[in-house]
């Protein structure tokens, strides 16, 4: 029999740490009130999966997370992964921005040990809450040798997603998390079953290490809509080093915004065409002559993921070809 894995569970808040007045409160409740020890106390079965140690790093909704929160979580996870007596880390997290924290870890941690980020759509106090099972599944995934080398994973609703692809695609349903090409696998009764692996480079195969990151450059996102005007674009890009332009459809740019975005690019703002549709590829030099205009494209990255990738890429280069290459590689 192999020894049980040693896991550290880091609490950061969210619905998984929430509490409602009554069991019918599946959507109205207080977030980030239960401590990580209390949450783990609801699943004594987890002790059979792994030796567990818990620590409370943050206690706030993930809608509040900024770059400093990402750096703090990344540093702590990296410290733990570096220890010989830690085999994997689970981070409990609000679901709103779970995909962003997970992707940031996926790109900046330098370890093959499993890291799983997990949340829930209903608080532990709600009828048919997904909190206990999601956490149990996350621990099962982090404890299992087959999860090594896959980068950071997000576990929800019995599914195991790669941090690169997963997005929260619904505001209240239990199956809120989807990956455009499907989950990597599933978890059934405490055992992960994988059917695919991440194709794009991550963790050990990226040039970014959390240990070397101090401050992060400012990259913003603008969501395209019919009445978006040049003044708004100029205000958004005034202090930014990069702008993810979440255009309509295939990253289309309205005629009256082409020149303002070209001017922004000439001022040194890295303008990246993305799509507000939620999935699909934005083809480079497809809907717009990106190279002629000095723009970049995201490949298939969601705007919130593209922001993180550009942010990290800009810590090492301002070369447009190198930045574009990052979107094709990660
Ligand atoms: N406050 C939201 C967050 O922490 C709650 C959403 C959730 O955790 O499901 O992201």
């Amino acid at each position: 029999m192999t020894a049980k894995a040693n896991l550290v569970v880091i609490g950061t808040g969210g619905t998984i740490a929430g509490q409602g007045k009554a069991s019918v409160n599946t959507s109205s409740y207080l977030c980030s009130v239960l401590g990580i020890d209390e949450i783990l106390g609801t699943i004594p079965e987890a002790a059979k999966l792994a030796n567990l140690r818990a620590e409370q790093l943050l206690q706030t909704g993930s809608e509040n997370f900024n770059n400093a929160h990402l750096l703090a979580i990344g540093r702590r996870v990296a410290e733990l992964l570096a220890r010989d007596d830690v085999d994997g880390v689970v981070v409990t997290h609000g679901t709103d921005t779970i995909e962003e924290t997970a992707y940031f870890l996926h790109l900046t941690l330098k370890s093959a040990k499993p890291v799983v980020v997990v949340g829930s759509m209903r608080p532990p106090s709600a009828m048919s809450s997904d909190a206990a099972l999601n956490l149990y599944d996350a621990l099962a995934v982090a404890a299992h040798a087959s999860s090594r080398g896959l980068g950071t994973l997000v576990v929800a609703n019995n599914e195991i997603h790669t941090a690169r692809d997963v997005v929260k695609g619904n505001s209240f349903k239990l199956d809120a998390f989807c990956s455009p090409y499907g989950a990597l696998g599933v978890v059934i009764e405490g055992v992960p079953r994988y059917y695919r692996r991440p194709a794009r480079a991550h963790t050990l195969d990226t040039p970014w290490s959390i240990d070397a990151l101090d401050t992060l450059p400012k990259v913003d996102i603008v969501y395209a809509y019919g009445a978006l005007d040049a003044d708004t674009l100029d205000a958004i890009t005034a202090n930014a080093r990069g702008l993810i332009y979440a255009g309509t459809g295939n990253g289309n740019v309205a005629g009256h915004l082409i020149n303002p975005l070209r001017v922004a690019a000439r001022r040194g703002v890295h303008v990246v065409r993305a799509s507000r549709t939620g999935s699909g590829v934005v083809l480079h030099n497809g809907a717009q002559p990106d190279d002629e205009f000095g723009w970049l494209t995201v490949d298939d990255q969601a705007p919130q993921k593209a922001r993180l990738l550009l942010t990290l890429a800009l810590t090492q280069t301002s070369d447009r070809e190198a930045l574009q290459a990052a979107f094709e590689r990660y």
Side-chain angles (χ1 to χ4, degrees), residues 84 90 128 139 191 220 245-247 260 263 265 274 288 293 302 313 316 323 330:
D84 291 339
V90 171
S128 207
L139 294 166
V191 182
D220 290 308
Y245 179 85
V263 170
Q288 296 287 337
F293 289 175
Q316 296 195 349
L323 294 170
Y330 303 103

Side-chain angles (χ1 to χ4, degrees), residues 9 34-42 53-56:
V9 188
L34 301 176
I36 188 62
D37 289 321
E38 286 175 280
I39 304 171
L40 279 171
T42 65
R53 195 158 64 72
E55 57 182 60
Q56 193 79 47

Side-chain angles (χ1 to χ4, degrees), residues 12-17 29 31-32 60-65 93-98 119-123 130 168 171 177:
T12 72
T15 294
I16 197 166
Y29 49 84
C31 267
S32 315
T60 188
S62 68
E63 66 275 15
N64 300 319
F65 285 13
H93 197 289
T95 60
D96 285 6
T97 66
I98 197 169
S120 71
M121 294 299 292
R122 296 176 185 160
D130 52 337
K168 182 177 183 177
S171 63
F177 298 92

